Amino acid sequence: MADIAKLVEELSKLTVLEAAELAKALEEEWGVSAAAAVAVAGPAGGGDAGAPAEEKDEFDVILTGDGGKKIQVIKEVRAITGLGLTEAKGLVEGAPKPLKEGVNKAEAEEIKGKIEAAGGTVELK
């Protein structure tokens, strides 16, 4: 078990690029992909339905609609994302589209509140 701990410690020192190269080398050496290994292993946690779900700490804010108030929602999207008018208009008209990805819960809730106040609809994933 100590050898595994040492290996984990060493692997933790790798950069993202080095980790990607390692994953590719292992896939070539063993003839499997990480995605295939996950599919074979099944979901993490052993499927224990009684265990509490781990709380997410990163969310994607998905704009699902403008609620008939497209101009107000475009203004809010521009303020949140820093996009230009054309890009923000395209995002709103193309809903559902990701507005922001990988944000913390507080920021996701704040963005959701702003968009809903402008008349739009948002989903947090």
Side-chain angles (χ1 to χ4, degrees):
M1 212 50 170
D3 291 335
I4 293 173
K6 286 180 186 177
L7 181 59
V8 170
E9 183 180 327
E10 287 300 313
L11 290 174
S12 297
K13 295 177 185 176
L14 294 177
T15 66
V16 173
L17 184 57
E18 292 169 333
E21 289 174 3
L22 174 62
K24 185 174 181 178
L26 292 175
E27 287 174 359
E28 290 173 3
E29 177 70 26
W30 294 331
V32 298
S33 71
V38 170
V40 171
D48 184 5
E54 185 176 316
E55 187 170 335
K56 289 179 64 170
D57 58 349
E58 285 192 354
F59 294 86
D60 294 341
V61 182
I62 311 296
L63 177 68
T64 56
D66 63 21
K69 299 191 176 197
K70 184 165 49 173
I71 293 173
Q72 294 89 329
V73 174
I74 290 171
K75 287 180 182 178
E76 205 54 57
V77 166
R78 289 187 69 199
I80 292 167
T81 63
L83 292 173
L85 179 59
T86 304
E87 292 86 0
K89 182 177 183 270
L91 192 150
V92 171
E93 290 176 343
K97 292 263 188 178
L99 192 55
K100 278 228 168 175
E101 298 177 317
V103 297
N104 64 39
K105 186 174 184 174
E107 185 178 356
E109 290 292 342
E110 179 183 350
I111 293 169
K112 181 179 180 184
K114 287 179 179 180
I115 295 294
E116 289 177 344
T121 55
V122 173
E123 181 179 309
L124 301 180
K125 290 188 176 185

